[in-house]
Amino acid sequence: MLLNNYEPFFPAFVKGEGRTLTDSKGNTYLDFASGVAVSGLGHSDPELVRALSEQAKNIWHVSNFFHIEAQEQCAEKLLQASPFAKSVFFCNSGAEANEAMLKLARRTHYVEGQAQRYRTITFHNAFHGRTLALIAAAGKPEHLEGFGPPMDGFDCVPVDDDQALMDAIDDDTAAIMIEPIQGDGGVLVVPPERLHFFRKVCNDKGLLLLFDEIQCGCARTGRMWAHEWAGVQPDLLSTAKGLGNGIPVGAVLAAARCSDAFVPGCHGSTYGGNTLAMQVVKATLRRLTDPKFLENVVERSALLRERLEVLQQRHSSLVAEVRGMGFMLGLALAQGSAQRFVERALHEGLVVVPSSGNVVRLLPPLTITEQEIEQGLVLLEKTCVASSK
Ligand SMILES: *Cc1c(COP(=O)(O)O)cnc(C)c1O
């Protein structure tokens, strides 16, 4: 048996094609979740299938004791799309990317002769992953319960409270870490002026600004990174979900200031940047970074948003608000539970996922067509009607 830490919804998907999922009974569903913002290019994309199966015929694993050429090609592609960054580290998941990012932030101060700087300011409603360090970082009581004293090194403050932030900064502060759009916290867009303020505070105090773009990055908002909309650049950025379209992979992008802080031996991963993942990442990035692709995301996500606003107006006693940016959208429910709403949507043939704050997350594949958007709205309408009864 499995440990009891998940509570999965009933359909067991056995096939995915584009934006359509099929369950073990042969029922089909429209995917408005992308496996939580992962499958940006949809399912069974022929180019990605080719990239993975070609590599599978050559070599699966060599370890980082040996040179992996595709890592450099992927890094090159990521850096071209990320002007703030100078170097890249590859790992296997979001949590690992955040762990590496926090270690690199601490280590940067260490090599700058400021070894006492190790603490990171984090924010209410954050989600950064499930390791002992990252549950301490986000500070969410439900995630910390039963796991002993939270790891030291984090000061969690409200996003909109200048005074709390300034009070939390001390001689031992290393960094400020935030998701430009808080995903699991309820699809909360951090206002651009807050990101500008955090950048300024970091500059004034010599701190590093860390963006967790694991969910909101990789073209989800119509730009490669969500922070581009605000015009604020981080010193370090973590990415994962959309980077491999379902192949487990994560990465940290580092600005010049942090790029020499790691030396051989001070961090590593057995599988990180392995050959299978890198071929898929390379093919994924080629598509996600295409300006035409991004423009399309902007246009079609604006259409989805427009339709959702109309839906919200019509069902305002059920849906209090439409939130988010691009194809990272949330329906904040005024009544009923997001969990129940998701079950009803599945019943209608639409896959969505819940988040904290009683919010239903809509994270369709970035390749979704106008026709599929309209189809999704019909299913959402039915779900709203069923939920209002
Ligand atoms: C999903 C997520 C993580 C954790 O990623 P895992 O791959 O599950 O470890 C961290 N931060 C954000 C913003 C996420 O959405």
Side-chain angles (χ1 to χ4, degrees):
M1 68 171 226
L2 300 171
L3 279 174
N4 200 24
N5 57 315
Y6 298 116
E7 197 181 8
F9 292 105
F10 70 88
F13 300 122
V14 292
K15 176 78 187 154
E17 225 174 343
R19 279 72 55 193
T20 303
L21 295 169
T22 306
D23 72 15
S24 49
K25 296 185 188 123
N27 301 309
T28 59
Y29 302 78
L30 180 63
D31 187 4
F32 262 41
S34 308
V36 195
V38 170
S39 317
L41 298 176
H43 303 274
S44 308
D45 178 86
E47 201 185 332
L48 300 189
V49 171
R50 209 175 315 123
L52 182 61
S53 36
E54 283 302 312
Q55 185 60 42
K57 285 182 223 156
N58 293 335
I59 188 162
W60 290 19
H61 182 71
V62 297
S63 93
N64 285 300
F65 278 109
F66 302 94
H67 184 71
I68 299 172
E69 199 185 354
Q71 280 187 14
E72 264 149 58
Q73 296 164 345
C74 289
E76 222 33 62
K77 200 81 195 131
L78 273 172
L79 294 174
Q80 274 168 19
S82 318
F84 74 91
K86 194 184 159 199
S87 59
V88 180
F89 169 77
F90 286 109
C91 52
N92 311 288
S93 69
E96 280 175 278
N98 280 340
E99 287 276 340
M101 179 158 78
L102 288 164
K103 285 177 75 177
L104 189 50
R106 292 180 181 198
R107 180 91 190 173
T108 298
H109 288 288
Y110 168 82
V111 300
E112 289 178 356
Q114 301 269 306
Q116 80 285 357
R117 291 192 179 276
Y118 75 101
R119 303 189 69 82
T120 298
I121 313 263
T122 55
F123 296 91
H124 292 181
N125 298 312
F127 178 80
H128 296 303
R130 299 299 199 118
T131 65
L132 288 169
L134 298 172
I135 57 175
K140 189 175 175 176
E142 299 95 295
H143 291 175
L144 285 162
E145 189 185 350
F147 297 119
M151 190 183 135
D152 177 45
F154 300 97
D155 299 293
C156 194
V157 302
V159 171
D160 58 2
D161 190 336
D162 287 14
Q163 197 54 48
L165 175 72
M166 300 315 283
D167 288 349
I169 296 173
D170 218 330
D171 293 340
D172 55 6
T173 306
I176 295 176
M177 177 184 190
I178 192 160
E179 300 153 78
I181 305 173
Q182 295 180 310
D184 287 42
V187 196
L188 301 163
V189 179
V190 176
E193 60 273 18
R194 296 311 296 162
L195 298 180
H196 279 278
F197 177 67
F198 300 149
R199 181 69 269 176
K200 183 175 182 313
V201 170
C202 284
N203 293 349
D204 292 349
K205 305 265 180 189
L207 310 180
L208 296 165
L209 184 59
L210 280 46
F211 285 161
D212 176 344
E213 293 229 18
I214 288 165
Q215 191 164 152
C216 62
C218 287
R220 182 107 319 248
T221 64
R223 297 272 175 95
M224 185 59 191
W225 307 118
H227 72 254
E228 293 173 38
W229 293 105
V232 178
Q233 298 198 329
D235 298 294
L236 293 169
L237 176 144
S238 57
T239 170
K241 291 189 166 84
L243 185 60
N245 215 69
I247 288 293
V249 65
V252 179
L253 278 63
R257 182 179 168 192
C258 307
S259 283
D260 298 319
F262 275 179
V263 296
C266 77
H267 190 62
S269 161
T270 298
Y271 296 124
N274 87 76
T275 60
L276 295 168
M278 289 299 101
Q279 290 306 329
V280 179
V281 169
K282 207 179 355 166
T284 303
L285 285 174
R286 212 165 24 230
R287 302 262 287 283
L288 297 185
T289 57
D290 179 347
K292 280 204 289 288
F293 181 90
L294 294 166
E295 194 46 45
N296 254 311
V297 171
V298 172
E299 281 172 17
R300 278 172 294 106
S301 64
L303 172 73
L304 174 57
R305 172 97 195 201
E306 196 184 296
R307 291 291 192 274
L308 290 174
E309 299 282 0
V310 174
L311 179 93
Q312 186 274 329
Q313 294 284 311
R314 220 179 9 252
H315 297 278
S316 56
S317 59
L318 175 68
V319 182
E321 192 193 352
V322 181
R323 288 185 192 157
M325 280 179 77
F327 280 130
M328 183 169 178
L329 296 166
L331 302 177
L333 299 188
Q335 56 162 334
S337 82
Q339 194 82 8
R340 272 303 279 143
F341 190 97
V342 170
E343 283 166 7
R344 289 200 168 99
L346 286 167
H347 185 75
E348 300 296 344
L350 181 72
V351 184
V352 293
V353 284
S355 76
S356 305
N358 220 17
V359 173
V360 176
R361 268 185 289 180
L362 309 179
L363 305 158
L366 308 174
T367 50
I368 192 162
T369 64
E370 287 188 17
Q371 197 190 347
E372 287 162 334
I373 289 172
E374 302 295 358
Q375 189 190 341
L377 259 294
V378 170
L379 301 175
L380 275 173
E381 174 69 31
K382 287 187 186 170
T383 307
C384 285
V385 170
S387 301
S388 304
K389 275 180 194 150

